[in-house]
Amino acid sequence: MEQSVHPAAIEHLPIFITSPGQTDYLFVVVVVFLLVAVLAVGNLYFQLHALPERRAHRTNKVQMEIVAVLALISLFTHNHLFWIAGLLLAFIQIPDFSTPLYSIAQSLGKLSGRQADTTGDPALIAEDTVEAEPIPSPSKTSVHGEDI
Protein backbone atom coordinates (compact mmCIF):
# COMPACT_ATOMS: atom_id res chain seq x y z
CA MET A 1 0.00 0.00 0.00
CA GLU A 2 1.61 3.20 -1.09
CA GLN A 3 0.89 6.27 0.96
CA SER A 4 0.56 9.45 -0.95
CA VAL A 5 -0.13 12.98 0.10
CA HIS A 6 -3.81 13.87 0.41
CA PRO A 7 -5.03 15.88 -2.58
CA ALA A 8 -6.29 18.70 -0.32
CA ALA A 9 -2.86 19.13 1.36
CA ILE A 10 -0.48 21.85 0.32
CA GLU A 11 2.59 20.97 -1.73
CA HIS A 12 5.13 21.64 1.03
CA LEU A 13 4.20 20.15 4.43
CA PRO A 14 6.09 21.18 7.60
CA ILE A 15 8.50 18.62 9.03
CA PHE A 16 6.45 17.99 12.18
CA ILE A 17 3.44 16.66 10.22
CA THR A 18 3.81 12.90 9.94
CA SER A 19 2.06 10.25 7.97
CA PRO A 20 -0.47 8.05 9.77
CA GLY A 21 1.25 5.29 11.74
CA GLN A 22 4.61 7.09 11.88
CA THR A 23 6.37 8.44 15.00
CA ASP A 24 5.47 12.01 15.91
CA TYR A 25 8.90 13.46 16.73
CA LEU A 26 7.57 16.85 17.82
CA PHE A 27 5.36 15.16 20.42
CA VAL A 28 8.29 13.10 21.74
CA VAL A 29 10.52 16.19 21.99
CA VAL A 30 7.82 18.19 23.80
CA VAL A 31 7.17 15.36 26.29
CA VAL A 32 10.89 14.98 27.08
CA PHE A 33 11.26 18.77 27.40
CA LEU A 34 8.29 19.00 29.78
CA LEU A 35 9.60 16.13 31.96
CA VAL A 36 13.05 17.73 32.21
CA ALA A 37 11.53 21.16 32.90
CA VAL A 38 9.25 19.83 35.67
CA LEU A 39 12.16 17.98 37.32
CA ALA A 40 14.45 21.03 37.04
CA VAL A 41 11.87 23.41 38.51
CA GLY A 42 11.08 20.92 41.32
CA ASN A 43 14.78 20.55 42.11
CA LEU A 44 15.21 24.33 42.12
CA TYR A 45 12.21 24.68 44.44
CA PHE A 46 13.58 22.16 46.94
CA GLN A 47 17.09 23.66 46.79
CA LEU A 48 15.67 27.11 47.48
CA HIS A 49 13.43 25.73 50.18
CA ALA A 50 16.40 24.08 51.94
CA LEU A 51 18.45 27.32 51.92
CA PRO A 52 17.72 28.26 55.58
CA GLU A 53 18.54 24.75 56.77
CA ARG A 54 21.84 24.63 54.88
CA ARG A 55 22.73 28.07 56.22
CA ALA A 56 21.89 27.02 59.78
CA HIS A 57 24.42 24.15 59.73
CA ARG A 58 27.07 26.75 60.64
CA THR A 59 25.27 27.62 63.87
CA ASN A 60 24.69 25.69 67.08
CA LYS A 61 22.59 22.53 67.22
CA VAL A 62 19.45 23.96 68.84
CA GLN A 63 19.25 26.81 66.35
CA MET A 64 19.74 24.39 63.45
CA GLU A 65 16.93 22.16 64.69
CA ILE A 66 14.53 25.09 65.06
CA VAL A 67 15.32 26.27 61.53
CA ALA A 68 14.82 22.73 60.19
CA VAL A 69 11.43 22.44 61.87
CA LEU A 70 10.37 25.83 60.51
CA ALA A 71 11.44 24.76 57.00
CA LEU A 72 9.45 21.53 57.24
CA ILE A 73 6.35 23.32 58.54
CA SER A 74 6.66 25.79 55.69
CA LEU A 75 7.04 22.96 53.16
CA PHE A 76 3.95 21.09 54.29
CA THR A 77 1.67 24.07 54.99
CA HIS A 78 2.79 26.29 52.06
CA ASN A 79 2.90 29.16 54.53
CA HIS A 80 5.85 31.34 53.51
CA LEU A 81 5.98 33.11 56.87
CA PHE A 82 7.61 30.03 58.47
CA TRP A 83 10.24 29.93 55.70
CA ILE A 84 11.04 33.62 56.15
CA ALA A 85 11.28 33.17 59.93
CA GLY A 86 13.61 30.20 59.45
CA LEU A 87 15.76 32.15 57.01
CA LEU A 88 16.05 35.10 59.38
CA LEU A 89 16.85 32.79 62.30
CA ALA A 90 19.53 31.05 60.21
CA PHE A 91 21.28 34.34 59.44
CA ILE A 92 21.22 35.57 63.06
CA GLN A 93 23.96 34.25 65.33
CA ILE A 94 22.52 33.44 68.77
CA PRO A 95 25.17 33.97 71.47
CA ASP A 96 26.54 30.94 73.27
CA PHE A 97 25.71 31.25 76.97
CA SER A 98 26.49 27.70 78.08
CA THR A 99 30.24 27.65 77.34
CA PRO A 100 31.15 30.63 79.56
CA LEU A 101 28.90 29.35 82.34
CA TYR A 102 30.52 25.91 82.10
CA SER A 103 33.97 27.52 82.25
CA ILE A 104 32.95 29.56 85.32
CA ALA A 105 31.66 26.41 87.02
CA GLN A 106 34.90 24.56 86.31
CA SER A 107 37.00 27.47 87.60
CA LEU A 108 34.96 27.71 90.79
CA GLY A 109 35.33 23.97 91.24
CA LYS A 110 39.10 24.22 90.94
CA LEU A 111 39.24 27.15 93.35
CA SER A 112 37.23 25.27 95.93
CA GLY A 113 39.46 22.23 95.63
CA ARG A 114 36.92 20.07 93.82
CA GLN A 115 36.90 19.01 90.20
CA ALA A 116 33.91 18.74 87.90
CA ASP A 117 32.51 15.33 87.02
CA THR A 118 33.42 14.69 83.37
CA THR A 119 31.13 11.71 82.85
CA GLY A 120 27.81 13.34 83.62
CA ASP A 121 26.39 16.80 83.72
CA PRO A 122 29.18 19.39 83.76
CA ALA A 123 27.29 21.45 86.33
CA LEU A 124 27.43 18.62 88.86
CA ILE A 125 30.56 18.35 90.95
CA ALA A 126 31.70 15.03 92.38
CA GLU A 127 32.61 15.63 96.02
CA ASP A 128 33.36 12.08 97.05
CA THR A 129 35.87 11.21 94.28
CA VAL A 130 38.50 13.89 94.91
CA GLU A 131 39.94 14.93 98.23
CA ALA A 132 40.27 18.64 98.71
CA GLU A 133 43.85 19.86 98.77
CA PRO A 134 44.66 22.81 100.97
CA ILE A 135 45.25 26.02 99.08
CA PRO A 136 48.71 27.41 99.84
CA SER A 137 48.68 30.75 101.54
CA PRO A 138 50.13 33.60 99.49
CA SER A 139 52.41 34.72 102.34
CA LYS A 140 54.51 31.51 102.27
CA THR A 141 55.21 31.36 98.53
CA SER A 142 56.34 34.03 96.15
CA VAL A 143 55.18 34.67 92.62
CA HIS A 144 57.76 32.33 91.08
CA GLY A 145 56.90 29.44 93.36
CA GLU A 146 59.95 29.77 95.63
CA ASP A 147 59.61 29.61 99.37
CA ILE A 148 60.30 32.78 101.28
Side-chain angles (χ1 to χ4, degrees), residues 32-115:
V32 168
F33 174 76
L34 282 176
L35 285 174
V36 169
V38 165
L39 290 175
V41 168
N43 189 17
L44 177 69
Y45 174 74
F46 284 126
Q47 290 292 329
L48 181 66
H49 193 65
L51 178 68
E53 194 172 351
R54 282 186 282 143
R55 175 73 178 147
H57 276 285
R58 298 180 185 138
T59 61
N60 58 20
K61 184 180 179 194
V62 175
Q63 185 176 359
M64 183 187 70
E65 289 176 355
I66 293 171
V67 169
V69 167
L70 285 172
L72 277 177
I73 290 172
S74 144
L75 179 66
F76 291 129
T77 62
H78 300 289
N79 192 348
H80 303 300
L81 187 61
F82 292 115
W83 186 82
I84 293 169
L87 185 65
L88 291 175
L89 186 61
F91 278 105
I92 295 172
Q93 183 67 30
I94 296 177
D96 183 23
F97 293 114
S98 62
T99 303
L101 291 176
Y102 178 68
S103 175
I104 291 170
Q106 280 188 330
S107 298
L108 288 174
K110 287 179 184 176
L111 285 175
S112 68
R114 296 182 275 170
Q115 293 182 357

Side-chain angles (χ1 to χ4, degrees), residues 9-32:
I10 58 174
E11 293 177 14
H12 177 66
L13 292 174
I15 188 112
F16 58 85
I17 295 180
T18 60
S19 302
Q22 298 294 320
T23 304
D24 189 0
Y25 295 108
L26 180 64
F27 177 72
V28 172
V29 168
V30 168
V31 166
V32 168

Side-chain angles (χ1 to χ4, degrees), residues 134-148:
I135 299 174
S137 64
S139 62
K140 293 185 179 180
T141 57
S142 67
V143 178
H144 301 290
E146 299 172 359
D147 290 335
I148 299 179

